[in-house]
Amino acid sequence: EKFHAKNFAIKYTPETQSHLSMHHDFSGITVLLTLNDAYEGGGTWFFDQQKLVKSKPGYMAIHPGMFTHYHGARPVTKGSRYVVLSFNNW
C-alpha cells in the first residue's frame, strides 16, 4: 500500500486565527512540529487525556488522528504561533 502525507504550515495570532475548535483529524497519524515559542497562550489541548501540549521549537508531537485524540488549538493571546502539521495515511 502507498503512504500519503498532507503537510502544511499554520500561523495563529490574536488578530487573525487565534485558535482551532475541538476536532478529530482525518488521518491515521498526525504529526505537529513546533516552530517557535514567541507567543503567549496557545498549545494543543487533548480533551480525553486532559493534557495541554506546548512543545519547544524543533520538537514534534505525534498522535492518532481519528477517534481517540479529540483536540484543539488553544487561543494565542500575544505574538504569533507557527506550527507545521502532517496528516499521514496508508
Side-chain angles (χ1 to χ4, degrees):
E1 293 183 42
K2 291 188 176 186
F3 179 81
H4 301 278
K6 181 177 180 182
N7 309 300
F8 52 96
I10 300 176
K11 176 183 178 181
Y12 295 100
T13 70
E15 299 79 25
T16 57
Q17 179 179 350
S18 69
H19 72 286
L20 189 59
S21 298
M22 299 296 290
H23 64 281
H24 284 108
D25 297 330
F26 189 68
S27 68
I29 297 291
T30 296
V31 179
L32 183 141
L33 171 64
T34 299
L35 298 178
N36 74 320
D37 60 4
Y39 62 90
E40 293 178 12
T44 303
W45 174 251
F46 291 92
F47 181 79
D48 293 336
Q49 293 76 17
Q50 294 293 290
K51 176 75 175 169
L52 178 66
V53 174
K54 287 184 75 170
S55 299
K56 295 178 184 178
Y59 281 65
M60 291 186 288
I62 301 170
H63 65 88
M66 293 183 270
F67 310 117
T68 62
H69 285 68
Y70 190 61
H71 64 283
R74 304 315 308 149
V76 169
T77 57
K78 185 177 180 183
S80 298
R81 177 184 180 210
Y82 296 94
V83 298
V84 173
L85 281 175
S86 182
F87 293 152
N88 302 279
N89 292 293
W90 51 92

